[in-house]
Amino acid sequence: MMPIWTKSGEKHAVTLLKVQDCHVLRYVSKEESGGKTAKLLVGGKNVSPFSKPESAHEIFKEAGVPRKQKVTTFNVTDDAIIKPGTPLYAAHFRPGQFVDVTAKTIGKGFQGVMKRWGFEGQPASHGQTKTHRRPGAISTNKASKVYRGKKMPGKMGNIYRTSFGLKVWRINTKHDIIYVNGSVPGHTNCLVKVRDSKLPTYKDCNKNPPFPTFFADGDEELPEDLFDEEIFQFTDPSVTFA
Amino acid sequence: RVSSDGKPPKFQPPPKPVIIDRKTQTEDKRFLSPEFIPPRGRTNPLKYYIERKDMIQRRKAFNIPEFYVGSVLAVTTAEPCASDKSQRFVGICIQRGGKGLGATFVLRNVIEEQGVEICYDLYSPRIQAIEVLKLEKRLDENLTYLRDALPEYSTFDVNMKPVPRMAQEEIPVNKLQVRMKPKPWSKRWERPKYNIKGIKFELPEHKMKAAQKWSQPWLEFDMLREYDTSKIEEKIRKELSEELEK
């Protein structure tokens, strides 16, 4: 995570996400998947092919791509279908877009009720016998049962969670890095799924994104760094208020 | 020596004096700002490389002078609520924290009998000028104990003139031992974990001995805590000198 300053001098924290060897693996049509839209299977980071059996390599062999660590699905409209085997780059996103980021949260293991659900616990002194971090009462007398989904101790973390509506501040096309506002679930160097935001406020936000994606062998020559309009460029002189 | 043909031996001139150029030797120990050295961790080094590129860009556009904890600085920042839209603060640098673009430094001064500490971002675009009024080092890396010292040690004249310093001189170390206010202090500075050399402790002997109970003499031999930055520093110095000359 890194700080970023706007032209008015405000500081925002930014997470760096690297797009590492992403390829489209397979196209699944609407009828085949049984959903409302067609799906595209996309694979991330390259990994050694020797730790999995040959049967697991079929998808990758069809696309002509080395074995990937993670495979995710993206729901896609019919005009945005991409041929399996095309690489995907960070330039697929542009600064000023809004993005949802999904990842597995940091696993905390078996945790008690105070850390997992934020319960208050009991006082440290004034006669409390062996009760300082316990849940206390779990149901009422009238219910005479414990409701399903009652918050209790258990395994915390290591589940998929999404941060919605994160602004993209900057894109580095040379190293394929996306600078995304705020924090993102997961530990450092974990695999993350980045998707256009589904929030209703950002429905009409993308003005002319590269559609269906950014093709590296196309005619477009992008500069090494793409910035949002509001970012303070370090080549400019210091900010002054008029 | 055997003389040839009976003549006296040929005159051997004395060996020429070898000039050791001290300047090239001290260039290696040139100042490297502490926020360039990446911390120990599992982050991808690409992140530090990209952050360094941004830091170099900012340094080319705006001069960040060399300073240490204990030097007196004057910082002018852009302030939207001030009448001239800029604010000048003079103070002694107490601590330098953070790595990369988020590096900060805290300046302390006592204004009208009220101690004031301001924490500035080194790479913030709101800073318009950083002036080093007095460049010197102190016996410690962290001068937060000045909060519990007598106010005379933290007062600096707001209209102080910069102290002239000859180039290529060694940075002077101020061996000042500071006198403290009566206890209680914000932290127990006599304890060995803070390892403070710049305080003149006027505590009784038995209290100083009791404080040594919390000493951890095995810490300096702990191999897992070792972080040798010499090679990393060399690489970064080379990178910096190449980029700043462009």
Side-chain angles (χ1 to χ4, degrees):
Chain A
M1 287 196 69
M2 227 166 72
I4 229 176
W5 285 274
T6 54
K7 291 203 165 125
S8 48
E10 285 154 6
K11 184 162 104 164
H12 297 276
V14 139
T15 316
L16 310 196
L17 305 175
K18 180 162 166 76
V19 177
Q20 198 164 6
D21 321 310
C22 287
H23 286 90
V24 176
L25 296 177
R26 196 199 273 172
Y27 160 67
V28 178
S29 62
K30 196 160 71 170
E31 297 80 38
E32 229 179 292
S33 63
K36 290 187 193 169
T37 46
K39 293 199 209 304
L40 275 183
L41 287 180
V42 170
K45 195 166 143 184
N46 285 349
V47 136
S48 138
F50 301 117
S51 36
K52 285 285 175 190
E54 285 291 324
S55 49
H57 292 323
E58 273 181 38
I59 310 177
F60 306 109
K61 278 192 188 153
E62 279 169 46
V65 136
R67 190 188 138 227
K68 305 286 183 188
Q69 190 173 344
K70 187 93 194 125
V71 175
T72 43
T73 42
F74 286 90
N75 289 341
V76 148
T77 44
D78 284 323
D79 51 354
I81 300 169
I82 309 175
K83 184 177 170 188
T86 39
L88 301 173
Y89 299 99
H92 176 98
F93 295 101
R94 288 294 146 93
Q97 259 188 317
F98 287 85
V99 135
D100 292 340
V101 177
T102 315
K104 265 197 174 177
T105 48
I106 298 178
K108 315 256 174 184
F110 195 102
Q111 287 298 339
V113 111
M114 276 178 86
K115 192 181 188 74
R116 196 177 182 212
W117 300 112
F119 283 14
E120 295 229 346
Q122 288 81 28
S125 70
H126 288 303
Q128 310 288 323
T129 36
K130 309 198 302 186
T131 324
H132 305 288
R133 298 184 68 95
R134 298 182 76 187
I138 52 177
S139 191
T140 49
N141 187 16
K142 202 168 172 194
S144 55
K145 69 169 188 174
V146 177
Y147 295 117
R148 185 195 310 273
K150 175 81 195 69
K151 293 181 180 176
M152 284 186 162
K155 291 250 160 55
M156 179 181 167
N158 202 24
I159 47 172
Y160 284 104
R161 281 288 188 255
T162 315
S163 302
F164 294 98
L166 304 178
K167 181 169 173 177
V168 170
W169 284 107
R170 178 176 161 181
I171 300 222
N172 186 319
T173 34
K174 187 174 162 201
H175 298 282
D176 277 332
I177 299 182
I178 309 175
Y179 289 59
V180 143
N181 191 33
S183 62
V184 137
H187 55 88
T188 29
N189 303 333
C190 80
L191 288 173
V192 129
K193 175 180 174 183
V194 183
R195 199 191 53 195
D196 292 325
S197 194
K198 291 232 163 94
L199 292 180
T201 23
Y202 304 127
K203 225 172 15 170
D204 309 308
C205 224
N206 299 341
K207 320 144 204 165
N208 307 323
F211 197 80
T213 190
F214 172 74
F215 295 105
D217 48 352
D219 310 322
E220 235 188 309
E221 281 272 346
L222 285 178
E224 192 190 323
D225 272 304
L226 293 163
F227 295 94
D228 187 47
E229 301 139 354
E230 286 176 45
I231 287 189
F232 169 77
Q233 305 276 12
F234 287 120
T235 40
D236 299 336
S238 304
V239 159
T240 35
F241 298 104
Chain B
R1 263 176 230 136
V2 179
S3 54
S4 48
D5 310 324
K7 289 180 195 166
K10 199 173 171 191
F11 170 67
Q12 299 281 350
K16 280 197 176 155
V18 177
I19 305 170
I20 306 167
D21 199 357
R22 295 230 176 259
K23 270 190 190 167
T24 45
Q25 281 183 7
T26 46
E27 244 182 86
D28 301 335
K29 299 213 178 125
R30 218 172 26 193
F31 176 67
L32 177 69
S33 211
E35 72 265 5
F36 280 104
I37 302 163
R40 217 159 50 140
R42 296 218 255 156
T43 354
N44 200 342
L46 178 67
K47 185 239 178 190
Y48 298 122
Y49 172 69
I50 286 183
E51 225 178 342
R52 247 176 286 142
K53 275 204 316 203
D54 279 341
M55 286 151 80
I56 292 169
Q57 258 199 330
R58 173 73 179 154
R59 277 184 184 245
K60 280 191 194 169
F62 172 75
N63 172 43
I64 298 177
E66 165 189 355
F67 68 96
Y68 303 88
V69 169
S71 17
V72 181
L73 308 183
V75 171
T76 4
T77 35
E79 199 68 40
C81 318
S83 48
D84 326 327
K85 303 298 171 194
S86 74
Q87 183 201 56
R88 183 173 190 257
F89 185 72
V90 172
I92 184 172
C93 177
I94 300 189
Q95 67 181 39
R96 288 183 76 159
K99 298 283 178 192
L101 276 177
T104 52
F105 63 101
V106 180
L107 292 185
R108 180 186 165 81
N109 202 343
V110 172
I111 299 176
E112 292 178 20
E113 292 171 39
Q114 172 64 51
V116 176
E117 285 182 18
I118 306 189
C119 175
Y120 292 103
D121 287 324
L122 257 186
Y123 293 93
S124 166
R126 278 174 56 172
I127 296 186
Q128 283 156 348
I130 304 182
E131 237 187 281
V132 176
L133 300 175
K134 195 174 184 188
L135 182 67
E136 65 176 10
K137 279 196 212 184
R138 294 265 243 192
L139 292 168
D140 309 302
E141 288 284 313
N142 200 313
L143 296 179
T144 14
Y145 58 78
L146 288 180
R147 294 173 193 154
D148 296 316
L150 297 173
E152 62 194 38
Y153 296 101
S154 314
T155 28
F156 293 92
D157 183 22
V158 183
N159 306 314
M160 198 165 116
K161 292 279 176 335
V163 166
R165 182 185 163 253
M166 289 187 294
Q168 308 286 324
E169 218 183 40
E170 281 217 21
I171 301 116
V173 178
N174 191 349
K175 302 207 172 154
L176 175 66
Q177 298 243 303
V178 147
R179 288 184 58 216
M180 306 291 274
K181 289 193 243 186
K183 268 202 162 193
W185 296 331
S186 60
K187 294 240 150 61
R188 294 174 223 244
W189 302 113
E190 72 275 9
R191 294 228 173 140
K193 91 169 196 199
Y194 297 107
N195 194 20
I196 291 184
K197 310 215 170 74
I199 297 183
K200 191 178 173 97
F201 290 108
E202 279 152 11
L203 297 171
E205 266 298 319
H206 68 271
K207 291 223 165 149
M208 294 300 292
K209 251 182 118 177
Q212 290 302 315
K213 222 170 36 170
W214 281 270
S215 69
Q216 295 172 309
W218 59 85
L219 269 191
E220 58 172 313
F221 303 108
D222 194 343
M223 292 180 75
L224 283 183
R225 276 170 202 260
E226 281 170 9
Y227 183 36
D228 187 20
T229 49
S230 47
K231 292 191 185 147
I232 305 171
E233 271 183 42
E234 256 184 62
K235 276 193 211 161
I236 296 177
R237 247 181 231 166
K238 236 169 127 182
E239 206 186 303
L240 273 185
S241 50
E242 277 167 36
E243 290 288 325
L244 286 171
E245 268 157 38
K246 275 189 197 170

